[in-house]
């Protein structure tokens, strides 16, 4: 029942996304701009063990894609609430968990596609990374999307207007971006900032993907990154499901 209902909701929102080519391509625009205009500034700088600045920048941009894209996914749910879509779904026998998972899986598919486009562009600009590492990076993007999209939809069920939703999301995503070392390794900063960055879970994901991009898979960074990614995804889906059930969505 859950799988069937999830498939129905997933298919509905996939079809909706496919009708909006602008939505598909616009999400990857900002990371591409960083790739084109910020990446060349790092070329030749010894930022990592491999000395390849692209192996530092691209993993950060991949997770930035998931961080900002998935965090704002709840805007669509607020619109659905205002137009009566959520109210109509309430009177159907569809699983409340499926109402969340169908949306979240659509988001994960969308951002995975955008991540592929970003990596292809990075390869053209000089990125050299092992295929297993690239695939691991995609997996982390998927898990990050599941986590943040679930929490974003949960927040959207509690917030009635986009004006209230946007500032709340920004208050979380901006510090997360600055403290996670998405653009540059936090080890380059002062010690106190490096220590502070370990309080955000995104730091562990960034370090893990960067290890993967240099072909280092059996590392402490990878272990912590996998544990944090899986833990956050499980917790976020649980929270999101409870909110959907409690709200009668």
């Amino acid at each position: 029942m859950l799988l069937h209902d999830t498939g129905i909701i997933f298919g509905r929102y996939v079809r909706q996304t496919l009708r909006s080519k602008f939505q598909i391509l616009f999400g990857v625009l900002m990371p591409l701009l960083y790739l084109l205009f910020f990446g060349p500034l790092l070329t030749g700088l010894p930022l990592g063990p491999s000395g390849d600045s692209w192996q530092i920048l691209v993993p950060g941009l991949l997770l930035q894609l998931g961080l900002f894209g998935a965090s704002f996914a709840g805007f669509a749910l607020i619109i659905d609430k205002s137009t009566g879509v959520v109210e109509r779904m309430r009177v159907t026998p569809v699983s409340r968990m499926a109402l969340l998972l169908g949306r979240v899986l659509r988001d994960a598919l969308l951002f995975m596609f955008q991540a592929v486009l970003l990596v292809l562009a990075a390869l053209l600009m000089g990125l050299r990374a092992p295929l297993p590492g690239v695939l691991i990076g995609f997996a982390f993007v998927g898990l990050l999307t599941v986590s943040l999209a679930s929490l974003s939809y949960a927040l959207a069920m509690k917030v009635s207007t986009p004006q209230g939703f946007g500032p709340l999301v920004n208050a979380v995503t901006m510090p997360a971006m600055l403290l996670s070392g998405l653009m540059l390794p936090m080890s380059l900063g002062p010690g106190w900032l490096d220590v502070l960055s370990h309080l955000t879970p995104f730091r562990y994901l960034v370090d893990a993907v960067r290890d993967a991009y240099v072909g280092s898979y059996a590392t402490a960074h990878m272990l912590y990154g996998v544990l944090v990614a899986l833990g956050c995804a499980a917790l976020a889906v649980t929270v999101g499901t409870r909110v959907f059930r409690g709200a009668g969505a």
Side-chain angles (χ1 to χ4, degrees):
M1 184 66 175
L2 176 61
L3 291 177
H4 177 264
D5 291 349
T6 299
I8 292 175
I9 301 300
F10 173 74
R12 178 186 189 276
Y13 286 103
V14 165
R15 291 190 295 272
Q16 185 182 86
T17 301
L18 290 175
R19 290 194 294 268
S20 178
K21 305 298 189 298
F22 180 78
Q23 178 186 3
I24 296 175
L25 297 177
F26 184 77
V28 79
L29 178 60
M30 187 59 68
L32 279 176
L33 290 177
Y34 274 107
L35 194 67
L36 292 172
F37 300 132
F38 187 69
L41 298 176
L42 307 179
T43 302
L45 296 180
L47 298 178
S50 67
D52 186 351
S53 59
W54 296 110
Q55 292 173 335
I56 296 294
L57 179 63
V58 174
L61 293 179
L62 284 175
L63 295 174
Q64 182 194 59
L65 184 67
L67 172 62
F68 285 99
S71 294
F72 286 93
F75 269 120
L77 183 59
I78 292 177
I79 295 174
D80 281 354
K81 286 168 57 180
S82 65
T83 56
V85 173
V86 173
E87 184 66 25
R88 290 194 295 272
M89 287 183 174
R90 289 177 60 185
V91 299
T92 70
V94 174
S95 164
R96 299 301 183 255
M97 187 174 186
L99 292 178
L100 172 68
L101 291 180
R103 290 178 169 91
V104 167
L105 292 178
R106 184 283 309 268
D107 295 330
L109 179 64
L110 172 62
F111 293 124
M112 291 283 282
F113 174 73
Q114 293 175 341
V116 171
L117 294 181
L118 180 64
V119 170
L120 289 176
L123 289 171
L124 293 176
M125 297 189 67
L127 170 68
R128 296 297 177 264
L131 179 60
V134 172
L135 296 178
I136 289 173
F138 291 153
F140 273 101
V141 171
L143 287 171
L144 179 62
T145 299
V146 169
S147 299
L148 295 180
S150 297
L151 295 177
S152 182
Y153 288 127
L155 177 61
M157 292 300 297
K158 298 293 187 179
V159 177
S160 58
T161 65
Q163 292 81 3
F165 180 83
L168 288 175
V169 174
N170 274 323
V172 175
T173 54
M174 288 306 297
M177 183 192 76
L178 296 173
L179 286 174
S180 61
L182 288 176
M183 297 295 101
L184 293 171
M186 294 303 295
S187 57
L188 297 178
W192 65 268
L193 190 59
D194 188 29
V195 171
L196 185 61
S197 72
H198 282 90
L199 299 179
T200 173
F202 303 108
R203 164 70 188 267
Y204 300 96
L205 274 61
V206 173
D207 288 343
V209 178
R210 283 179 176 152
D211 274 11
Y213 265 58
V214 297
S216 299
Y217 310 120
T219 65
H221 285 158
M222 186 63 67
L223 174 61
Y224 295 148
V226 170
L227 292 177
V228 170
L230 291 175
C232 287
L235 178 62
V237 170
T238 300
V239 171
T241 301
R242 287 181 178 178
V243 170
F244 266 64
R245 286 174 176 166

